[in-house]
């Protein structure tokens, strides 16, 4: 399954409103949106939204309905969440989750040599 192009457009619009520069990159079978070279959010290839968060916040955030830890190769990852497409169906909910990912990525030191 490819990523949701409509969700990618909505993510692009949300991030554009922030005024912070971002880049896009194919990753995890989806389309990732990078701040300072770090992935903040992505239209997941599995459907829904993939995002970064503070590792210590992972468990509490994953308690929300339709939110779970992202798994890579069957291993749950701290600091990564998958949010179902139903949870981010409206722009207000999407904005809240984008803010989580963008805030975390913006707090990381910029990577050098990035686009």
């Amino acid at each position: 399954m490819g990523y949701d192009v409509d969700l990618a457009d909505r993510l692009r619009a949300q991030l554009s409103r922030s005024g912070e520069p971002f880049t896009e990159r194919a990753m995890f079978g989806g389309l990732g949106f990078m701040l300072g070279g770090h992935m903040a959010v992505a239209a997941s290839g599995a459907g829904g939204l993939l995002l970064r968060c503070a590792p210590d916040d992972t468990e509490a955030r994953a308690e929300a309905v339709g939110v779970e830890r992202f798994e890579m190769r069957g291993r749950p990852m701290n600091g990564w969440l998958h949010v179902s497409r139903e949870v981010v169906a409206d722009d207000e909910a999407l904005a809240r989750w984008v803010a989580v990912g963008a805030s975390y990525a913006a707090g990381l030191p910029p990577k050098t040599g990035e686009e």
Side-chain angles (χ1 to χ4, degrees), residues 5-52:
V5 174
D6 179 57
L7 177 58
D9 288 342
R10 292 173 58 218
L11 288 169
R12 197 174 291 112
Q14 289 282 341
L15 290 167
S16 292
R17 285 186 201 108
S18 76
E20 295 295 320
F22 65 91
T23 57
E24 301 177 22
R25 180 175 297 156
M27 58 188 340
F28 304 118
L31 184 64
F33 293 85
M34 321 290 281
L35 298 173
H38 299 280
M39 200 217 55
V41 295
S44 173
L49 179 69
L50 175 62
L51 68 102
R52 300 281 306 270

Side-chain angles (χ1 to χ4, degrees), residues 22-82:
F22 65 91
T23 57
E24 301 177 22
R25 180 175 297 156
M27 58 188 340
F28 304 118
L31 184 64
F33 293 85
M34 321 290 281
L35 298 173
H38 299 280
M39 200 217 55
V41 295
S44 173
L49 179 69
L50 175 62
L51 68 102
R52 300 281 306 270
C53 70
D56 291 344
D57 294 344
T58 308
E59 197 65 39
R61 291 191 183 279
E63 291 177 4
V65 174
V67 179
E68 59 189 15
R69 279 183 190 205
F70 176 69
E71 289 189 15
M72 186 175 291
R73 297 184 187 112
R75 193 172 129 224
M77 306 294 291
N78 280 332
W80 296 80
L81 297 171
H82 181 264

